[in-house]
Amino acid sequence: MARTKLIAKYAALDTPDLAERIHKAITGYISENGVDELPYLELNGRWTGTLSITDGGWRGDFDFLYPVLSMCRVDRKGNVFADMAKIEKRVANWREILHTPHDDDKYIGVCDDTFEHGSYLEDDANDFYSASYKSELKSFLNSDNPDILEHDKALTEIDDLFRDEQNPAAPKRVFGEGFAVQRIDSAEDFRKLMEAIEADAAAGGSSWINPDFDMDNIEEIFAAEDDKSQKWMQWIDDLRNGRFGELPEDFDGLAEHE
């Protein structure tokens, strides 16, 4: 059940100054890009030690991965900034996950006997892998007649390319772990995906859709997401313009509730 190889693999990320590095990354992002998109962003720390803030990408099972806003605070003047106490809490939680052996370790390839170094891509290969999946998904969603089987075939070809280069013996899988490379942010794109899966199932394939899922609710789901985004910036604007009256000096609009 030892995890010494996994822990060693993440040594470049699991450094004593990890919390400070995350604080610096979030602070730099806000300074350069503002706060509008923060509700949609995650901070990803890879085994290579690289930290990135994005809305998607190829993620490792043991990467440091948390929503950016979960590591921020908003003061009474509507300023958004990284919060060291929250960051340190996330870092401690991640370290516990990384360092704690589990009965299933041998089955998920993270004990010393089953650990496979070839499953870990370098940053440039990881970026290209994500970009390839993004491109294929975009092409699929933009097609007039999206075919889920052709989409699967294209994704498998991408997987095969990286397996051949990194780990030829790895088991084949489509939509493998870490598949979260592009946010589908419109009802139309989501409907295309669902309808393509249903069309494949009707032709004898397998459906991945919950039979209780109501296609008519798609519009409402995405309308609610759009409304949430507008409310975020409206709330920040209200704070900055004092519309909530006098707030406590230690106010934190993102305070965690016990």
Side-chain angles (χ1 to χ4, degrees):
M1 281 178 60
R3 287 191 178 204
T4 54
K5 292 183 180 180
L6 176 69
I7 293 168
K9 197 70 175 180
Y10 276 90
L13 179 63
D14 190 14
T15 57
D17 65 342
L18 177 56
E20 288 80 5
R21 290 163 54 204
I22 292 170
H23 190 282
K24 182 178 180 181
I26 295 174
T27 300
Y29 181 91
I30 292 174
S31 175
E32 184 174 343
N33 300 284
V35 303
D36 297 38
E37 297 299 317
L38 289 184
Y40 300 113
L41 301 178
E42 300 167 325
L43 187 141
N44 179 217
R46 303 194 68 242
W47 68 274
T48 58
T50 300
L51 298 174
S52 62
I53 295 177
T54 67
D55 64 352
W58 195 263
R59 313 304 201 190
D61 287 345
F62 287 87
D63 285 1
F64 181 95
L65 185 65
Y66 289 93
V68 172
L69 280 185
S70 73
M71 295 178 283
C72 291
R73 65 176 291 141
V74 177
D75 67 15
R76 60 181 179 173
K77 296 182 179 179
N79 299 308
V80 185
F81 48 90
D83 185 284
M84 183 58 79
K86 293 177 185 177
I87 293 171
E88 289 176 340
K89 183 177 180 179
R90 301 300 181 277
V91 168
N93 182 67
W94 172 73
R95 283 188 171 134
E96 182 178 2
I97 293 171
L98 181 71
H99 288 263
T100 305
H102 190 277
D103 290 341
D104 292 332
D105 280 358
K106 63 181 179 180
Y107 302 113
I108 60 177
V110 297
C111 78
D112 290 353
D113 293 334
T114 61
F115 189 80
E116 178 53 67
H117 288 276
S119 298
Y120 291 81
L121 300 177
E122 296 287 348
D123 287 339
D124 55 352
N126 185 80
D127 290 345
F128 185 71
Y129 204 174
S130 291
S132 298
Y133 262 73
K134 270 189 172 183
S135 177
E136 168 54 31
L137 183 56
K138 184 177 181 180
S139 175
F140 170 77
L141 293 174
N142 288 338
S143 171
D144 292 333
N145 297 292
D147 185 327
I148 198 68
L149 292 180
E150 288 299 315
H151 183 49
D152 262 6
K153 181 179 178 181
L155 295 179
T156 300
E157 289 174 354
I158 295 171
D159 286 343
D160 287 342
L161 171 64
F162 282 88
R163 271 191 293 266
D164 289 343
E165 293 183 354
Q166 300 292 329
N167 184 17
K172 292 182 180 294
R173 62 188 175 212
V174 178
F175 292 113
E177 77 263 15
F179 181 72
V181 296
Q182 179 169 305
R183 188 177 76 238
I184 295 179
D185 53 11
S186 78
E188 183 58 32
D189 283 350
F190 194 84
R191 181 178 286 107
K192 277 189 176 181
L193 179 60
M194 295 298 103
E195 289 178 347
I197 294 173
E198 287 191 329
D200 178 52
S206 300
S207 176
W208 306 336
I209 302 175
N210 186 322
D212 297 326
F213 183 81
D214 185 356
M215 294 285 286
D216 292 336
N217 287 337
I218 291 176
E219 299 285 355
E220 296 178 15
I221 292 170
F222 282 95
E225 285 298 311
D226 291 341
D227 187 49
K228 184 168 64 176
S229 176
Q230 293 172 6
K231 284 183 177 179
W232 161 252
M233 289 311 298
Q234 182 61 56
W235 178 62
I236 294 296
D237 186 67
D238 288 343
L239 282 170
R240 290 174 177 175
N241 287 280
R243 298 190 182 104
F244 298 119
E246 190 66 25
L247 295 171
E249 189 172 341
D250 63 349
F251 173 81
D252 176 9
L254 296 174
E256 299 173 294
H257 300 288
E258 295 297 333

